[in-house]
């Protein structure tokens, strides 16, 4: 049927199908049976743009849907079943609205704690990311629509995501950054992959044949659609030959013409074009379904379950938690009054229902007094607010402090400037600690923060970004209705200075991944660097005992089993983690790597025998173009976190005798001394890294707009960045507090994003609102060529047939 449709299409029509139509759909040709593929942003719920909305940016004005916890919260549950149920619920809502393809999950590695989009990503570990992502995809696609896994690949900073080049050695690329995508591709068979904006090793992801054609399609056997991120196309003909099918959001006449001319001139074979068209037709066929109503109240409950299991208890001195319900409590913090429950950017949702902290406490009958203490939208301390909070805290002797990161410090579109809490929160916390107030700190945010004041804090509960049920989840955990069971999916360093090559992060568009495979806990554990809270760590209102380890080889798997007992008087859940290391390896390796985990519910005093199976091939390393299993003895570690592994065993495996290479010698030196020269890294990757020149003239279509400093360039930069600033200022006047906050955050996101956009990406992401000839004209004007600029803008792009 699809081949019959293909035969009816002209060259122009085929090209049009592969260049999107409107913001969230593909190009339809009704007369020839080609229906549009309807898409929606994700990944923590549907962001369906309101057709009657008036938001300046279009980001914040969406139809009401369930706002689930963000990716990092979901991953902190370590519960694949919950990920499946979340995908399933989002799938039901997608069917309700007639959506064919959801843009999620986002599974990029949390390489650096300053990345602004860490909240949306899952983990610093590829196995945890891939496992949770596969559960999400399977649940979503069980409802008939397709999942689009993003952002393929190495999208690890926001500042230079549009034009940056992630420079990665082959071991790190395959063992760390591609591994989550590989796991999802093989376990869940997603319908689509979305390429990242950035380059990987000198080639933009949308036209990177090594990533798409050789790895994704060739090695992993993926047969679905590959599409660009919005505005992520660079050269349409090169992208087609590399295996990238669809440009979004499209409506760019220049790129349709580029396909037509590339086929006519022989730069793209028509059979290559036909393969991409057939993939689009097949995707629509597989996702076609009738709209069905869904139960939003049931989805709220699922969002609550995830928020409860994803929260991490970081500290609980002398069992101060859970709090007593019958006692009157003092609550401090702007983030109690203005709950931060989701991230900002393209995933900003309009929750169909929301339970705030105030509502949840009132429904539970908790008596409390609230003082603001600080303004969550600001960073400077307010002395009057602090004095009032301090006086009340001294009166009570104890306070529940709601704090963390705001959307003005952490968001898609820009990276954090440091790892610190806002100055106004730190100032107040320090004053409270100094007068001896017992503090229960409730944190919100998607990334680690420095906590030098931790010693003076009695308890810390990290809620991350818990979704629309965040108020209820926080209250249930604080007052002991549920025992915390989440564990960290990312390491918390003592300070940012401890992050390997942290000073080089996003310093310019050329981003060398010098730490290689030593990301997160793989680095801290190997060099024995103390961290504030280790990967996989989380407390409970109970305690657990691990004993009686048994390790056996059975066929192609290593079977690990042990006894796990709940020692407490409350029902609780425990996440058991299995790590593997190899002390006698000839090649350089992390001291330990996560290779298996499971989450077990245990009644009070209950004991269970737990079994975890690890495929032997998962212990392979990527050397000389392939995964290879090294022969010899491997250490098996089992326990509750990466730095607490009470059970240890050993297994001996057959494999290859791997020899030390230059890479191994240099990285052993790095692990010993903590540094690596640029020239050494260049030698290891076989490529010289150019020196980036800021404000280099003449400007190109790839120059970040924020670097435009000529007379006309400044005018254009001001106009573009002003879109977000205008929305931010307009939003301050909105009376509805929830709508006001969404509009403010969306405006801030656009304001911070625009300086790092390029003319090319801005044009290709505009759905035709900023045509390519206008972009060329702006470029000429910014380079001082007035007549050429006017001429370029007046030129009309003629359709090529």
């Amino acid at each position: 049927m699809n081949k019959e449709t293909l035969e009816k299409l002209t060259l122009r029509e085929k090209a049009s199908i592969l260049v999107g139509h409107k913001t969230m759909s593909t190009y339809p040709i009704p007369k020839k049976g080609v229906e549009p593929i309807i898409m929606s942003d994700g990944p923590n719920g549907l962001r369906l743009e309101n057709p009657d909305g008036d938001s300046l940016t279009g980001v914040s004005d969406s139809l009401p849907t369930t706002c689930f916890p963000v990716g990092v919260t979901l991953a902190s549950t370590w519960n694949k079943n919950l990920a499946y149920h979340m995908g399933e619920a989002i799938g039901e809502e997608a069917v309700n609205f007639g959506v064919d393809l959801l843009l999620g999950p986002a599974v990029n590695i949390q390489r650096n704690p300053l990345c602004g989009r860490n909240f949306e990503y899952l983990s610093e570990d590829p196995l945890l990311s891939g496992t949770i992502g596969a559960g999400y995809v399977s649940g979503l696609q069980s409802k008939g629509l397709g999942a689009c896994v993003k952002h393929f690949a190495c999208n690890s900073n926001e500042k230079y995501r549009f034009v940056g080049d992630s420079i990665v050695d082959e071991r790190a690329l395959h063992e760390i950054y591609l591994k989550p995508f590989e796991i999802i591709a093989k376990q869940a068979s997603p319908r689509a992959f979305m390429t990242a904006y950035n380059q990987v090793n000198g080639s933009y992801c949308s036209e990177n044949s090594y990533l798409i054609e050789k790895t994704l399609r060739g090695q992993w056997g993926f047969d679905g659609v590959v599409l660009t991120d919005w505005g992520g196309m660079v050269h349409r003909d090169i992208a087609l030959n590399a295996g990238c099918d669809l440009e979004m959001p499209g409506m760019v006449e220049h790129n349709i013409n580029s396909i037509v001319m590339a086929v006519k001139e022989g730069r793209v074979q028509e059979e290559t074009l036909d393969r991409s068209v057939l993939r689009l037709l097949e995707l629509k066929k597989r996702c076609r379904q009738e709209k069905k109503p869904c139960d939003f109240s049931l989805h709220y409950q699922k969002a609550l379950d995830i928020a409860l299991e994803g929260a991490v208890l970081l500290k609980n001195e002398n069992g101060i938690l859970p709090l007593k319900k019958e006692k009157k409590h003092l609550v401090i913090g702007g983030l109690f009054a203005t709950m931060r429950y989701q991230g900002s950017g393209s995933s900003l949702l309009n929750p169909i229902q929301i339970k705030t902290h105030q509502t949840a406490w009132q429904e539970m009958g908790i008596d409390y007094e609230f003082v603001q203490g600080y303004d969550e939208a600001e960073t400077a301390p307010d002395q009057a607010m602090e004095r009032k909070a301090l006086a009340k805290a001294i009166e009570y002797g104890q306070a529940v402090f709601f704090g963390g990161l705001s959307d003005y410090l952490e968001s898609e579109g820009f990276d954090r400037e440091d790892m610190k809490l806002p100055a106004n929160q730190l100032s107040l916390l320090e004053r409270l600690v100094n007068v001896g107030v017992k503090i229960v700190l409730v944190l919100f945010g998607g990334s680690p923060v420095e906590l030098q004041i931790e010693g003076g804090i009695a308890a810390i509960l990290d809620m991350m970004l818990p979704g629309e049920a965040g108020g209820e989840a926080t209250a249930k955990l604080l007052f002991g209705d549920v025992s915390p069971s989440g564990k960290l999916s990312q390491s918390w360093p003592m300070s940012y200075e401890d992050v390997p090559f942290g000073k080089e992060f996003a310093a310019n568009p050329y981003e060398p991944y010098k730490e290689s495979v030593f990301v997160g806990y793989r680095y801290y554990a190997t060099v024995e660097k103390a961290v504030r809270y280790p990967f996989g760590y989380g407390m409970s209102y109970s305690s657990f005992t691990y004993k009686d380890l048994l390790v056996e080889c059975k066929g192609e798997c290593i079977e690990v089993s042990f006894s796990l007992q709940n020692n407490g008087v409350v029902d609780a859940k425990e996440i058991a983690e299995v790590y593997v290391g190899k002390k006698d390896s000839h090649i350089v390796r992390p001291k330990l790597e996560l290779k298996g985990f499971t989450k077990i519910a245990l009644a009070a005093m209950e004991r269970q025998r737990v079994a975890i199976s690890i495929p032997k091939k998962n212990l392979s390393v990527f050397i000389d173009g392939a995964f290879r299993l090294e022969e010899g003895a491997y250490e098996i570690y089992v326990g509750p976190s990466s730095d607490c592994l009470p059970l240890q065993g050993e297994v001996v495996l057959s494999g290859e005798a791997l020899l030390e290479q230059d890479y191994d010698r240099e990285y052993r030196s790095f692990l010993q001394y903590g540094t690596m020269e640029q020239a050494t890294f260049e030698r290891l990757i076989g490529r010289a890294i150019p020196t980036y020149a800021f404000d280099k003239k003449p400007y190109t279509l790839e120059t970040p707009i924020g670097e435009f400093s000529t007379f006309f360039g400044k005018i254009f930069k001001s106009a573009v960045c002003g879109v977000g600033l205008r929305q931010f200022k307009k939003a301050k006047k909105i009376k509805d507090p929830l709508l006001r906050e969404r509009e403010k955050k969306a405006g801030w996101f656009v304001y911070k994003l625009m300086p790092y956009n390029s003319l090319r990406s801005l044009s290709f992401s505009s759905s035709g609102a900023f045509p390519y000839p206008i972009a060329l004209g702006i470029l000429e004007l910014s380079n001082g060529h007035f007549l050429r600029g006017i001429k370029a803008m007046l030129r009309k792009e003629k359709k090529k047939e």
Side-chain angles (χ1 to χ4, degrees):
M1 182 67 178
N2 287 337
K3 289 186 177 180
E4 292 176 6
T5 301
L6 180 69
E7 290 172 359
K8 299 176 186 175
L9 300 174
T10 65
L11 176 58
R12 169 80 190 185
E13 288 171 335
K14 293 176 185 177
S16 299
I17 289 171
L18 301 184
V19 176
H21 177 67
K22 298 185 179 179
T23 305
M24 284 285 172
S25 69
T26 59
Y27 187 80
I29 309 176
K31 291 181 179 179
K32 296 189 177 179
V34 178
E35 300 175 81
I37 296 169
I38 308 301
M39 306 179 204
S40 169
D41 247 323
N44 62 306
L46 263 69
R47 187 179 70 80
L48 290 161
E49 292 186 9
N50 185 352
D52 300 318
D54 63 352
S55 171
L56 283 172
T57 64
V59 172
S60 59
D61 198 355
S62 58
L63 298 175
T65 57
T66 302
C67 180
F68 289 88
V70 299
V72 68
T73 314
L74 175 64
S76 297
T77 69
W78 293 60
N79 191 331
K80 186 177 181 178
N81 290 332
L82 277 184
Y84 182 95
H85 293 318
M86 176 170 159
E88 193 176 42
I90 294 173
E92 289 172 358
E93 295 189 19
V95 173
N96 176 70
F97 287 104
V99 171
D100 301 309
L101 188 68
L102 183 100
L103 307 178
V107 299
N108 295 91
I109 292 295
Q110 294 163 339
R111 173 179 173 246
N112 184 288
L114 299 189
C115 176
R117 210 166 182 176
N118 277 346
F119 69 88
E120 191 171 326
Y121 300 150
L122 299 171
S123 175
E124 69 185 34
D125 182 81
L127 176 66
L128 181 56
S129 295
T131 302
I132 297 298
Y136 177 106
V137 170
S138 296
L140 184 84
Q141 294 191 160
S142 72
K143 297 302 173 180
L145 72 154
C148 179
V149 185
K150 60 184 186 181
H151 308 86
F152 191 62
C154 301
N155 186 178
S156 298
N157 75 61
E158 289 295 287
K159 187 174 183 179
Y160 292 113
R161 67 175 184 172
F162 292 110
V163 299
D165 187 0
S166 298
I167 304 166
V168 197
D169 68 82
E170 69 165 14
R171 271 197 68 183
L173 183 63
H174 285 270
E175 294 179 28
I176 305 293
Y177 297 99
L178 295 185
K179 183 56 72 172
F181 296 98
E182 180 185 1
I183 291 170
I184 296 170
K186 291 180 176 179
Q187 290 186 7
S189 301
R191 305 277 195 267
F193 274 77
M194 179 193 291
T195 59
Y197 288 114
N198 53 277
Q199 303 170 65
V200 172
N201 294 333
S203 176
Y204 278 100
C205 290
S206 62
E207 53 190 46
N208 193 313
S209 60
Y210 181 83
L211 290 180
I212 303 171
E213 202 61 44
K214 182 176 180 179
T215 305
L216 177 61
R217 297 197 188 279
Q219 294 177 2
W220 303 348
F222 176 72
D223 63 354
V225 168
V226 174
L227 62 147
T228 69
D229 204 337
W230 271 230
M233 183 56 68
V234 185
H235 304 101
R236 198 61 190 88
D237 53 341
I238 299 174
L240 262 178
N241 284 330
C244 183
D245 307 301
L246 175 64
E247 175 197 358
M248 289 301 294
M251 298 181 71
V252 180
E253 189 65 40
H254 170 78
N255 287 342
I256 299 173
N257 286 342
S258 294
I259 295 174
V260 172
M261 294 311 298
V263 173
K264 286 187 172 182
E265 294 170 4
R267 288 178 284 113
V268 173
Q269 298 299 311
E270 189 156 7
E271 57 207 47
T272 301
L273 177 66
D274 288 350
R275 275 197 300 271
S276 288
V277 173
L278 282 171
R279 289 183 189 125
L280 267 292
L281 297 175
E282 180 62 24
L283 177 61
K284 180 62 183 183
K285 179 181 176 182
R286 295 173 74 181
C287 297
R288 186 184 289 109
Q289 57 201 316
E290 297 296 325
K291 290 185 180 182
K292 297 177 186 176
C294 63
D295 187 344
F296 286 101
S297 61
L298 181 60
H299 296 170
Y300 173 89
Q301 185 59 46
K302 290 185 177 182
L304 174 61
D305 292 342
I306 296 166
L308 288 169
E309 287 204 26
V312 181
L313 181 61
L314 297 174
K315 186 176 182 180
N316 193 17
E317 197 172 82
N318 300 321
I320 192 173
L321 291 179
L323 299 171
K324 291 179 172 57
K325 292 182 180 179
E326 62 272 15
K327 181 181 176 181
K328 185 174 182 179
H329 298 275
L330 176 65
V331 179
I332 299 174
L335 283 170
F336 179 84
T338 305
M339 183 173 75
R340 186 167 183 233
Y341 57 95
Q342 64 173 324
S344 187
S346 61
S347 63
L348 188 65
L349 302 177
N350 178 8
I352 197 164
Q353 57 181 313
I354 188 167
K355 188 162 290 187
T356 64
H357 298 304
Q358 299 97 318
T359 301
W361 284 50
Q362 289 163 7
E363 288 181 354
M364 290 180 70
I366 307 299
D367 191 10
Y368 71 94
E369 183 175 0
F370 171 72
V371 288
Q372 188 168 350
Y374 67 88
D375 185 343
E376 65 88 27
E378 302 293 337
T379 57
D382 184 308
Q383 295 301 321
M385 281 187 182
E386 286 195 5
R387 284 194 296 270
K388 184 177 179 181
L390 198 63
K392 281 293 178 184
I394 293 171
E395 178 185 327
Y396 278 81
Q398 180 174 312
V400 184
F401 190 106
F402 283 66
L405 300 173
S406 73
D407 290 287
Y408 310 109
L409 298 174
E410 172 191 51
S411 169
E412 178 188 349
F414 60 93
D415 297 313
R416 293 164 63 193
E417 294 181 2
D418 56 48
M419 247 181 72
K420 302 179 188 302
L421 282 170
N424 51 4
Q425 294 183 36
L426 276 176
S427 173
L428 180 54
L429 281 168
E430 287 170 355
R431 294 180 71 177
L432 291 168
V433 168
N434 289 338
V435 296
V437 175
K438 287 184 179 180
I439 301 167
V440 173
L441 176 59
V442 186
L443 286 174
F444 295 85
S447 289
V449 293
E450 294 177 1
L451 288 174
Q452 274 75 15
I453 58 167
E454 187 227 27
I457 307 294
I460 304 173
L461 177 64
D462 184 14
M463 294 301 302
M464 290 170 249
L465 299 176
E468 66 180 30
E472 183 174 356
T474 305
K476 282 181 176 291
L477 291 164
L478 283 174
F479 290 97
D481 287 6
V482 178
S483 176
S485 65
K487 295 193 176 182
L488 294 176
S489 66
Q490 52 188 330
S491 305
W492 281 46
M494 288 287 187
S495 70
Y496 187 67
E497 284 67 34
D498 295 333
V499 177
F501 303 106
K503 292 181 180 179
E504 298 182 23
F505 176 71
N508 66 66
Y510 296 112
E511 181 81 356
Y513 286 39
K514 287 184 181 178
E515 71 282 356
S516 188
V517 297
F518 297 95
V519 179
Y521 76 90
R522 285 170 164 79
Y523 171 74
Y524 301 120
T526 304
V527 301
E528 299 181 346
K529 170 74 72 174
V531 294
R532 180 71 61 189
Y533 301 114
F535 173 80
Y537 168 81
M539 299 178 71
S540 168
Y541 293 152
S542 187
S543 65
F544 303 89
T545 297
Y546 291 74
K547 53 193 299 190
D548 302 328
L549 175 66
L550 178 63
V551 180
E552 299 177 290
C553 280
K554 291 185 178 179
E556 296 304 311
C557 291
I558 303 165
E559 302 296 340
V560 179
S561 63
F562 50 93
S563 174
L564 180 64
Q565 179 167 330
N566 179 355
N567 302 319
V569 296
V570 298
D571 298 346
K573 295 176 180 177
E574 169 68 335
I575 298 160
E577 305 163 27
V578 180
Y579 296 83
V580 177
K582 196 174 195 313
K583 293 178 182 176
D584 63 350
S585 180
H586 292 291
I587 63 171
V588 67
R589 290 174 176 263
K591 179 180 179 180
L592 49 84
E593 297 180 277
L594 181 72
K595 295 300 177 182
F597 62 89
T598 190
K599 192 164 194 173
I600 306 294
L602 294 170
M605 302 305 295
E606 181 185 1
R607 182 193 304 177
Q608 279 190 33
R609 190 74 188 169
V610 179
I612 297 174
S613 182
I614 303 171
K616 293 177 183 176
K617 65 180 181 180
N618 289 359
L619 277 55
S620 301
V621 292
F622 196 89
I623 294 178
D624 296 332
F627 276 100
R628 304 177 191 279
L629 180 63
E630 186 178 13
E631 65 182 7
Y634 289 79
E635 293 78 36
I636 309 296
Y637 306 95
V638 180
S641 76
S642 61
D643 81 333
C644 182
L645 299 164
L647 302 184
Q648 297 184 21
E650 184 178 278
V651 65
V652 177
L653 301 179
S654 301
E656 299 182 50
L658 301 181
L659 301 178
E660 183 182 61
Q661 298 184 13
D662 191 24
Y663 169 93
D664 304 299
R665 288 185 287 272
E666 293 297 348
Y667 273 95
R668 285 198 173 97
S669 174
F670 155 66
L671 293 171
Q672 183 175 0
Y673 300 109
T675 61
M676 178 174 287
E677 296 296 328
Q678 185 89 337
T680 301
F681 183 71
E682 290 177 341
R683 189 181 80 250
L684 292 177
I685 63 171
R687 172 191 170 196
I689 301 173
T691 300
Y692 187 78
F694 288 94
D695 197 26
K696 181 182 178 181
K697 300 180 182 67
Y699 304 130
T700 72
L701 288 172
E702 303 306 321
T703 302
I705 292 168
E707 293 186 23
F708 283 25
S709 61
T710 59
F711 175 75
F712 190 84
K714 288 180 179 178
I715 294 173
F716 176 71
K717 175 172 62 176
S718 177
V720 169
C721 296
V723 172
L725 199 56
R726 286 195 299 275
Q727 177 170 346
F728 180 78
K729 291 178 179 178
K730 179 183 175 183
K732 290 183 175 181
K733 301 175 183 178
I734 297 173
K735 293 182 179 180
D736 181 336
L738 291 176
L739 178 60
R740 179 174 63 245
E741 288 305 309
R742 285 203 312 276
E743 288 291 323
K744 281 172 59 182
K745 291 166 184 177
W748 191 254
F749 154 65
V750 173
Y751 172 65
K752 296 285 283 187
L753 168 88
M754 281 301 178
Y756 299 102
N757 212 328
S758 68
L759 281 169
R760 182 264 309 163
S761 184
L762 189 62
S763 174
F764 290 178
S765 65
S766 71
S767 299
F770 183 47
Y772 189 66
I774 299 296
L776 292 176
I778 296 293
L779 179 63
E780 294 287 3
L781 291 172
S782 298
N783 281 322
H785 306 306
F786 182 77
L787 292 178
R788 289 204 309 228
I790 297 298
K791 184 178 179 181
M793 288 192 285
L794 292 175
R795 182 176 64 86
K796 290 187 177 181
E797 190 96 36
K798 296 180 180 179
K799 291 184 178 181
K800 306 288 186 182
E801 300 291 344

